[in-house]
Amino acid sequence: MDEKKRRLLTNRKPPSDTAGEPGPADRAATATKPMSTWSIAWRLGATAVALIILTCGQFLNTNDFFPLGSLTQYATAKDLNGTVNSTCIEAQFPGEDEPRRLGFNTDTVGIERGDIESQLDRVIANPELMQTMADSFERLHPNEPKPEEMILCRTVTQLENGRSVGEPEHKILATWEVQ
């Protein structure tokens, strides 16, 4: 067996050209260039900004900084025998007997469900904030009739071993007569 094959099988490095000095393979492995001050500064700055945004999102309990917003949705486990709450929006239209459930998204009422849920107490205390959703519905659906009343509601579904049981309970949280 020749010398090259023997070294490959035994996983040995070839001897250096001169005794005590690293060989060409050793020099190539250690010839890395250190990061510049600018590279270190922008990496630390970006990390600091992300941490500040994440911290503000936590303290303000807002999703405005998504994906660095509030992480409360991950804070606790769900009780498999508890309830699931889902916020919904309904509108009473002229000539209709029952309110009609609307899609809670930017295409229907101009705002996402999560954005309302993060400020639910504020909207319940100030139902006039639902006027914006009525105006958005009217602007986004010019061929539909104008809603007479906006209804912020919640469906509560009871769970048993993680599965829904019975009919969901419908609760009205706030109403607003559209101006």
Side-chain angles (χ1 to χ4, degrees):
M1 175 182 318
D2 69 356
E3 180 67 21
K4 192 173 183 181
K5 287 183 183 176
R6 188 180 61 74
R7 268 189 263 131
L8 285 172
L9 292 173
T10 59
N11 200 19
R12 290 188 184 168
K13 294 180 184 176
S16 304
D17 294 346
T18 39
E21 291 184 29
D26 294 330
R27 281 192 294 270
T30 59
T32 57
K33 184 179 171 186
M35 285 197 303
S36 69
T37 304
W38 172 245
S39 295
I40 293 170
W42 82 260
R43 284 174 172 85
L44 289 174
T47 302
V49 167
L51 288 173
I52 289 168
I53 292 171
L54 179 62
T55 303
C56 289
Q58 290 295 91
F59 284 118
L60 298 174
N61 194 24
T62 181
N63 290 322
D64 291 344
F65 309 129
F66 181 82
L68 298 175
S70 173
L71 302 176
T72 55
Q73 61 193 358
Y74 305 112
T76 59
K78 279 291 183 189
D79 180 7
L80 295 178
N81 293 314
T83 59
V84 175
N85 298 319
S86 179
T87 306
C88 52
I89 189 79
E90 296 177 342
Q92 181 68 51
F93 291 95
E96 295 182 7
D97 296 334
E98 294 291 320
R100 186 187 331 159
R101 184 171 287 197
L102 303 176
F104 217 147
N105 55 54
T106 55
D107 294 334
T108 307
V109 291
I111 193 166
E112 294 289 342
R113 177 194 328 260
D115 295 325
I116 292 294
E117 287 178 340
S118 67
Q119 302 181 51
L120 197 57
D121 293 337
R122 183 172 164 235
V123 176
I124 292 170
N126 303 292
E128 64 272 11
L129 294 172
M130 289 191 286
Q131 180 67 44
T132 306
M133 287 185 277
D135 295 341
S136 294
F137 180 85
E138 193 175 343
R139 180 178 42 81
L140 292 167
H141 305 278
N143 298 330
E144 293 275 336
K146 180 180 176 179
E148 295 177 331
E149 184 178 47
M150 297 297 286
I151 304 161
L152 184 65
C153 53
R154 173 181 284 158
T155 56
V156 181
T157 305
Q158 181 64 46
L159 298 179
E160 189 175 290
N161 293 324
R163 298 187 184 269
S164 62
V165 292
E167 288 296 313
E169 180 184 355
H170 184 265
K171 294 182 178 181
I172 294 177
L173 304 175
T175 60
W176 175 251
E177 285 189 39
V178 177
Q179 309 291 312

